[in-house]
mmCIF file with all atom_site columns, all heavy atoms in Angstrom:
data_model
loop_
_atom_site.group_PDB
_atom_site.id
_atom_site.type_symbol
_atom_site.label_atom_id
_atom_site.label_alt_id
_atom_site.label_comp_id
_atom_site.label_asym_id
_atom_site.label_entity_id
_atom_site.label_seq_id
_atom_site.pdbx_PDB_ins_code
_atom_site.Cartn_x
_atom_site.Cartn_y
_atom_site.Cartn_z
_atom_site.occupancy
_atom_site.B_iso_or_equiv
_atom_site.pdbx_formal_charge
_atom_site.auth_seq_id
_atom_site.auth_comp_id
_atom_site.auth_asym_id
_atom_site.auth_atom_id
_atom_site.pdbx_PDB_model_num
ATOM 1  N N   . TYR D 1 37 ? -22.456 11.900 25.854 1.00 0.00 ? 107 TYR D N   1
ATOM 2  C CA  . TYR D 1 37 ? -21.100 11.495 25.234 1.00 0.00 ? 107 TYR D CA  1
ATOM 3  C C   . TYR D 1 37 ? -21.282 11.109 23.774 1.00 0.00 ? 107 TYR D C   1
ATOM 4  O O   . TYR D 1 37 ? -21.176 10.003 23.372 1.00 0.00 ? 107 TYR D O   1
ATOM 5  C CB  . TYR D 1 37 ? -20.509 10.254 25.983 1.00 0.00 ? 107 TYR D CB  1
ATOM 6  C CG  . TYR D 1 37 ? -20.762 10.304 27.490 1.00 0.00 ? 107 TYR D CG  1
ATOM 7  C CD1 . TYR D 1 37 ? -21.562 9.390  28.135 1.00 0.00 ? 107 TYR D CD1 1
ATOM 8  C CD2 . TYR D 1 37 ? -20.177 11.302 28.199 1.00 0.00 ? 107 TYR D CD2 1
ATOM 9  C CE1 . TYR D 1 37 ? -21.763 9.432  29.508 1.00 0.00 ? 107 TYR D CE1 1
ATOM 10 C CE2 . TYR D 1 37 ? -20.333 11.396 29.615 1.00 0.00 ? 107 TYR D CE2 1
ATOM 11 C CZ  . TYR D 1 37 ? -21.081 10.409 30.220 1.00 0.00 ? 107 TYR D CZ  1
ATOM 12 O OH  . TYR D 1 37 ? -21.265 10.497 31.555 1.00 0.00 ? 107 TYR D OH  1
ATOM 13 N N   . PRO D 1 38 ? -21.578 12.126 22.917 1.00 0.00 ? 108 PRO D N   1
ATOM 14 C CA  . PRO D 1 38 ? -21.762 11.863 21.497 1.00 0.00 ? 108 PRO D CA  1
ATOM 15 C C   . PRO D 1 38 ? -20.489 11.310 20.896 1.00 0.00 ? 108 PRO D C   1
ATOM 16 O O   . PRO D 1 38 ? -19.406 11.844 21.081 1.00 0.00 ? 108 PRO D O   1
ATOM 17 C CB  . PRO D 1 38 ? -22.186 13.214 20.899 1.00 0.00 ? 108 PRO D CB  1
ATOM 18 C CG  . PRO D 1 38 ? -21.572 14.180 21.821 1.00 0.00 ? 108 PRO D CG  1
ATOM 19 C CD  . PRO D 1 38 ? -21.630 13.620 23.223 1.00 0.00 ? 108 PRO D CD  1
ATOM 20 N N   . ILE D 1 39 ? -20.598 10.285 20.115 1.00 0.00 ? 109 ILE D N   1
ATOM 21 C CA  . ILE D 1 39 ? -19.414 9.786  19.401 1.00 0.00 ? 109 ILE D CA  1
ATOM 22 C C   . ILE D 1 39 ? -18.985 10.802 18.385 1.00 0.00 ? 109 ILE D C   1
ATOM 23 O O   . ILE D 1 39 ? -19.838 11.281 17.567 1.00 0.00 ? 109 ILE D O   1
ATOM 24 C CB  . ILE D 1 39 ? -19.742 8.430  18.679 1.00 0.00 ? 109 ILE D CB  1
ATOM 25 C CG1 . ILE D 1 39 ? -20.204 7.381  19.696 1.00 0.00 ? 109 ILE D CG1 1
ATOM 26 C CG2 . ILE D 1 39 ? -18.590 7.962  17.914 1.00 0.00 ? 109 ILE D CG2 1
ATOM 27 C CD1 . ILE D 1 39 ? -19.160 6.917  20.656 1.00 0.00 ? 109 ILE D CD1 1
ATOM 28 N N   . PRO D 1 40 ? -17.700 11.281 18.339 1.00 0.00 ? 110 PRO D N   1
ATOM 29 C CA  . PRO D 1 40 ? -17.324 12.263 17.405 1.00 0.00 ? 110 PRO D CA  1
ATOM 30 C C   . PRO D 1 40 ? -17.625 11.858 15.976 1.00 0.00 ? 110 PRO D C   1
ATOM 31 O O   . PRO D 1 40 ? -17.442 10.709 15.596 1.00 0.00 ? 110 PRO D O   1
ATOM 32 C CB  . PRO D 1 40 ? -15.826 12.342 17.654 1.00 0.00 ? 110 PRO D CB  1
ATOM 33 C CG  . PRO D 1 40 ? -15.617 11.769 19.018 1.00 0.00 ? 110 PRO D CG  1
ATOM 34 C CD  . PRO D 1 40 ? -16.634 10.750 19.226 1.00 0.00 ? 110 PRO D CD  1
ATOM 35 N N   . GLU D 1 41 ? -18.073 12.770 15.153 1.00 0.00 ? 111 GLU D N   1
ATOM 36 C CA  . GLU D 1 41 ? -18.373 12.581 13.802 1.00 0.00 ? 111 GLU D CA  1
ATOM 37 C C   . GLU D 1 41 ? -17.124 12.363 12.975 1.00 0.00 ? 111 GLU D C   1
ATOM 38 O O   . GLU D 1 41 ? -16.156 13.117 13.212 1.00 0.00 ? 111 GLU D O   1
ATOM 39 C CB  . GLU D 1 41 ? -19.240 13.655 13.245 1.00 0.00 ? 111 GLU D CB  1
ATOM 40 C CG  . GLU D 1 41 ? -19.636 13.449 11.779 1.00 0.00 ? 111 GLU D CG  1
ATOM 41 C CD  . GLU D 1 41 ? -20.413 14.593 11.213 1.00 0.00 ? 111 GLU D CD  1
ATOM 42 O OE1 . GLU D 1 41 ? -20.657 15.589 11.953 1.00 0.00 ? 111 GLU D OE1 1
ATOM 43 O OE2 . GLU D 1 41 ? -20.807 14.543 10.008 1.00 0.00 ? 111 GLU D OE2 1
ATOM 44 N N   . LEU D 1 42 ? -17.080 11.389 12.230 1.00 0.00 ? 112 LEU D N   1
ATOM 45 C CA  . LEU D 1 42 ? -15.899 11.082 11.373 1.00 0.00 ? 112 LEU D CA  1
ATOM 46 C C   . LEU D 1 42 ? -16.066 11.837 10.013 1.00 0.00 ? 112 LEU D C   1
ATOM 47 O O   . LEU D 1 42 ? -17.088 11.670 9.336  1.00 0.00 ? 112 LEU D O   1
ATOM 48 C CB  . LEU D 1 42 ? -15.730 9.636  11.134 1.00 0.00 ? 112 LEU D CB  1
ATOM 49 C CG  . LEU D 1 42 ? -15.065 8.797  12.237 1.00 0.00 ? 112 LEU D CG  1
ATOM 50 C CD1 . LEU D 1 42 ? -15.304 7.392  11.946 1.00 0.00 ? 112 LEU D CD1 1
ATOM 51 C CD2 . LEU D 1 42 ? -13.574 9.153  12.354 1.00 0.00 ? 112 LEU D CD2 1
ATOM 52 N N   . VAL D 1 43 ? -15.045 12.656 9.722  1.00 0.00 ? 113 VAL D N   1
ATOM 53 C CA  . VAL D 1 43 ? -15.046 13.372 8.466  1.00 0.00 ? 113 VAL D CA  1
ATOM 54 C C   . VAL D 1 43 ? -13.661 13.250 7.831  1.00 0.00 ? 113 VAL D C   1
ATOM 55 O O   . VAL D 1 43 ? -12.641 13.005 8.541  1.00 0.00 ? 113 VAL D O   1
ATOM 56 C CB  . VAL D 1 43 ? -15.422 14.886 8.645  1.00 0.00 ? 113 VAL D CB  1
ATOM 57 C CG1 . VAL D 1 43 ? -16.800 15.110 9.209  1.00 0.00 ? 113 VAL D CG1 1
ATOM 58 C CG2 . VAL D 1 43 ? -14.362 15.556 9.665  1.00 0.00 ? 113 VAL D CG2 1
ATOM 59 N N   . SER D 1 44 ? -13.626 13.414 6.520  1.00 0.00 ? 114 SER D N   1
ATOM 60 C CA  . SER D 1 44 ? -12.315 13.325 5.832  1.00 0.00 ? 114 SER D CA  1
ATOM 61 C C   . SER D 1 44 ? -11.473 14.492 6.258  1.00 0.00 ? 114 SER D C   1
ATOM 62 O O   . SER D 1 44 ? -11.873 15.711 6.173  1.00 0.00 ? 114 SER D O   1
ATOM 63 C CB  . SER D 1 44 ? -12.569 13.354 4.292  1.00 0.00 ? 114 SER D CB  1
ATOM 64 O OG  . SER D 1 44 ? -13.270 12.193 3.884  1.00 0.00 ? 114 SER D OG  1
ATOM 65 N N   . SER D 1 45 ? -10.232 14.198 6.774  1.00 0.00 ? 115 SER D N   1
ATOM 66 C CA  . SER D 1 45 ? -9.337  15.238 7.178  1.00 0.00 ? 115 SER D CA  1
ATOM 67 C C   . SER D 1 45 ? -7.951  14.631 7.246  1.00 0.00 ? 115 SER D C   1
ATOM 68 O O   . SER D 1 45 ? -7.805  13.466 7.569  1.00 0.00 ? 115 SER D O   1
ATOM 69 C CB  . SER D 1 45 ? -9.748  15.754 8.564  1.00 0.00 ? 115 SER D CB  1
ATOM 70 O OG  . SER D 1 45 ? -8.800  16.701 8.989  1.00 0.00 ? 115 SER D OG  1
ATOM 71 N N   . GLY D 1 46 ? -6.936  15.500 7.042  1.00 0.00 ? 116 GLY D N   1
ATOM 72 C CA  . GLY D 1 46 ? -5.551  14.938 7.013  1.00 0.00 ? 116 GLY D CA  1
ATOM 73 C C   . GLY D 1 46 ? -5.388  13.821 6.065  1.00 0.00 ? 116 GLY D C   1
ATOM 74 O O   . GLY D 1 46 ? -5.717  13.931 4.900  1.00 0.00 ? 116 GLY D O   1
ATOM 75 N N   . ARG D 1 47 ? -4.842  12.707 6.509  1.00 0.00 ? 117 ARG D N   1
ATOM 76 C CA  . ARG D 1 47 ? -4.635  11.551 5.614  1.00 0.00 ? 117 ARG D CA  1
ATOM 77 C C   . ARG D 1 47 ? -5.779  10.576 5.613  1.00 0.00 ? 117 ARG D C   1
ATOM 78 O O   . ARG D 1 47 ? -5.773  9.509  4.958  1.00 0.00 ? 117 ARG D O   1
ATOM 79 C CB  . ARG D 1 47 ? -3.359  10.784 6.047  1.00 0.00 ? 117 ARG D CB  1
ATOM 80 C CG  . ARG D 1 47 ? -3.365  10.178 7.378  1.00 0.00 ? 117 ARG D CG  1
ATOM 81 C CD  . ARG D 1 47 ? -2.100  9.480  7.726  1.00 0.00 ? 117 ARG D CD  1
ATOM 82 N NE  . ARG D 1 47 ? -1.799  8.344  6.869  1.00 0.00 ? 117 ARG D NE  1
ATOM 83 C CZ  . ARG D 1 47 ? -2.207  7.163  7.139  1.00 0.00 ? 117 ARG D CZ  1
ATOM 84 N NH1 . ARG D 1 47 ? -2.904  6.844  8.220  1.00 0.00 ? 117 ARG D NH1 1
ATOM 85 N NH2 . ARG D 1 47 ? -1.974  6.171  6.293  1.00 0.00 ? 117 ARG D NH2 1
ATOM 86 N N   . LEU D 1 48 ? -6.862  10.962 6.305  1.00 0.00 ? 118 LEU D N   1
ATOM 87 C CA  . LEU D 1 48 ? -8.008  10.061 6.399  1.00 0.00 ? 118 LEU D CA  1
ATOM 88 C C   . LEU D 1 48 ? -9.159  10.445 5.513  1.00 0.00 ? 118 LEU D C   1
ATOM 89 O O   . LEU D 1 48 ? -9.626  11.553 5.529  1.00 0.00 ? 118 LEU D O   1
ATOM 90 C CB  . LEU D 1 48 ? -8.532  9.985  7.850  1.00 0.00 ? 118 LEU D CB  1
ATOM 91 C CG  . LEU D 1 48 ? -9.592  8.997  8.282  1.00 0.00 ? 118 LEU D CG  1
ATOM 92 C CD1 . LEU D 1 48 ? -8.947  7.626  8.231  1.00 0.00 ? 118 LEU D CD1 1
ATOM 93 C CD2 . LEU D 1 48 ? -10.075 9.272  9.722  1.00 0.00 ? 118 LEU D CD2 1
#
Side-chain angles (χ1 to χ4, degrees):
Y107 319 117
I109 300 295
E111 183 181 359
L112 280 168
V113 295
S114 296
S115 179
R117 62 181 295 271
L118 191 63

